[in-house]
């Protein structure tokens, strides 16, 4: 199992990080199978999130008072070909399986949101102005949300991969390859979200930390549906 070298000196933070990641690996070895396709890797990462209960449903602002961080407002744009499909996407986002981005998740697997920039979110929800069937989901974060900056993940990974390979005698490439994904590594480290300052993104890993402004969201859907009905009559 572990093969620590006595002469190696690590800070307490590094020791705790290494211990946490090793314990996760030991308890979840069956998750880390060989993969050859991005879709297979994504499935592994989704299973990591599920093992941490990060797929728990988000909170709704209209249901009850939540202990939220009012300093941060985040937005996510969603678009569809028609109103019925859009309503399905919204329902899936709130009540369905966790959706963790697609091929463009270059900053790590997770739910991509933009901080405070409603105009940019609207641009996403309209596919750059080409689609008038979209909504912007406004959310807050719970006060206890643990956020790590992307730059710190890169520093941790550089130290961590080396230590893991030195600590295990057997091949753990299936594990370390998954750790190249910022979302997977941050989740294993116990973080709920990633801050990408250069893009003003917050990437949500733990969906249960979201508090969605569902009142505003359903107002947007109602307005779209009414506009659609009026257009059909004219």
């Amino acid at each position: 199992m572990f093969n620590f070298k006595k002469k190696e000196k690590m800070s307490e933070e590094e020791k705790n990080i290494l211990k946490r990641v090793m314990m996760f690996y030991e308890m979840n070895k069956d998750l880390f199978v060989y993969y050859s396709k991005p879709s297979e890797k994504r499935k592994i990462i989704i299973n990591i999130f599920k093992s941490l209960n990060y797929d728990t449903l988000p909170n709704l602002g209209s249901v009850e008072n939540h202990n939220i961080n009012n300093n941060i407002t985040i937005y996510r744009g969603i678009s569809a070909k028609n109103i019925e499909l859009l309503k399905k996407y919204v329902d899936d986002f709130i009540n369905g399986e966790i959706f963790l981005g697609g091929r463009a998740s270059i900053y790590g697997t997770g739910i991509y949101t933009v901080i405070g920039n409603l105009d940019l979110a609207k641009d996403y929800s309209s596919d750059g102005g080409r689609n008038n069937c979209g909504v912007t989901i406004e959310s807050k974060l719970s006060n206890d949300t643990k956020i790590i900056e992307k730059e710190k993940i890169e520093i941790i990974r550089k130290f961590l991969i080396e230590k893991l390979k030195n600590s295990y005698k057997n091949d753990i490439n299936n594990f370390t390859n998954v750790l190249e994904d910022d979302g997977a590594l941050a989740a294993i480290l116990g973080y709920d979200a990633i801050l990408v300052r250069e893009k003003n993104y917050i990437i949500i890993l733990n969906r249960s930390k979201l508090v969605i402004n569902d009142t505003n969201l359903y107002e947007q859907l109602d307005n779209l549906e009414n506009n659609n009905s009026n257009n059909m009559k004219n």
Side-chain angles (χ1 to χ4, degrees):
M1 289 181 39
F2 303 162
N3 183 33
F4 290 107
K5 296 182 178 179
K6 294 181 180 179
K7 293 183 179 180
E8 291 182 347
K9 293 184 178 180
M10 292 185 286
S11 68
E12 284 303 311
E13 182 184 15
E14 288 174 333
K15 288 178 183 177
N16 290 335
I17 288 171
L18 185 60
K19 181 179 179 181
R20 183 186 185 99
V21 174
M22 282 181 155
M23 286 181 63
F24 185 88
Y25 177 62
E26 290 296 325
M27 294 174 64
N28 299 278
K29 280 185 178 179
D30 57 321
L31 293 180
F32 300 101
V33 297
Y34 172 78
Y35 65 87
S36 59
K37 300 177 182 177
S39 60
E40 294 170 344
K41 181 179 181 180
R42 187 167 299 277
K43 185 176 180 180
I44 293 171
I45 296 172
I46 288 173
N47 286 333
I48 290 171
F49 281 35
K50 287 182 176 180
S51 74
L52 296 166
N53 295 321
Y54 279 15
D55 61 330
T56 301
L57 295 179
N59 304 287
L60 301 180
S62 67
V63 175
E64 59 182 84
N65 292 323
H66 299 280
N67 186 18
I68 61 174
N69 181 349
N70 280 308
N71 294 320
I72 301 176
T73 302
I74 55 177
Y75 299 97
R76 178 179 175 86
I78 295 181
S79 64
K81 294 180 180 179
N82 56 64
I83 186 66
E84 292 305 319
L85 193 56
L86 181 62
K87 288 163 70 174
K88 180 183 183 306
Y89 289 164
V90 168
D91 186 64
D92 287 346
F93 187 85
I94 294 175
N95 301 305
E97 289 288 319
I98 189 168
F99 176 75
L100 300 174
R103 295 179 183 176
S105 303
I106 61 174
Y107 299 106
T109 300
I111 301 170
Y112 278 60
T113 68
V114 61
I115 305 170
N117 193 333
L118 179 58
D119 288 338
L120 179 57
K122 285 183 176 179
D123 192 53
Y124 286 129
S125 69
S126 65
D127 296 329
R130 299 186 303 272
N131 185 352
N132 61 0
C133 188
V135 292
T136 54
I137 300 177
E138 177 188 295
S139 302
K140 299 284 189 179
L141 295 174
S142 298
N143 256 332
D144 61 351
T145 304
K146 292 182 63 179
I147 302 174
I148 184 171
E149 295 199 26
K150 176 177 170 53
E151 290 75 15
K152 186 172 182 181
I153 298 174
E154 294 170 353
I155 293 169
I156 290 173
R157 179 165 42 237
K158 186 175 180 180
F159 134 79
L160 186 61
I161 298 296
E162 179 185 352
K163 295 298 183 186
L164 286 170
K165 289 184 176 179
N166 289 338
S167 300
Y168 282 91
K169 295 179 180 179
N170 57 315
D171 181 7
I172 58 166
N173 285 341
N174 290 344
F175 181 45
T176 55
N177 287 344
V178 171
L179 296 183
E180 294 295 337
D181 183 278
D182 286 359
L185 177 53
I188 291 172
L189 292 173
Y191 290 95
D192 303 305
I194 300 170
L195 171 61
V196 185
R197 286 191 183 275
E198 63 189 88
K199 292 291 187 179
N200 215 28
Y201 290 164
I202 284 186
I203 303 167
I204 305 300
L205 312 175
N206 185 353
R207 188 169 60 166
S208 71
K209 299 301 180 182
L210 277 177
V211 182
I212 296 173
N213 185 345
D214 55 315
T215 301
N216 173 266
L217 176 58
Y218 288 118
E219 283 177 358
Q220 291 181 67
L221 284 173
D222 287 343
N223 289 337
L224 280 173
E225 200 157 26
N226 290 334
N227 290 338
N228 187 53
S229 297
N230 290 335
N231 289 336
M232 290 179 67
K233 292 176 182 178
N234 294 334

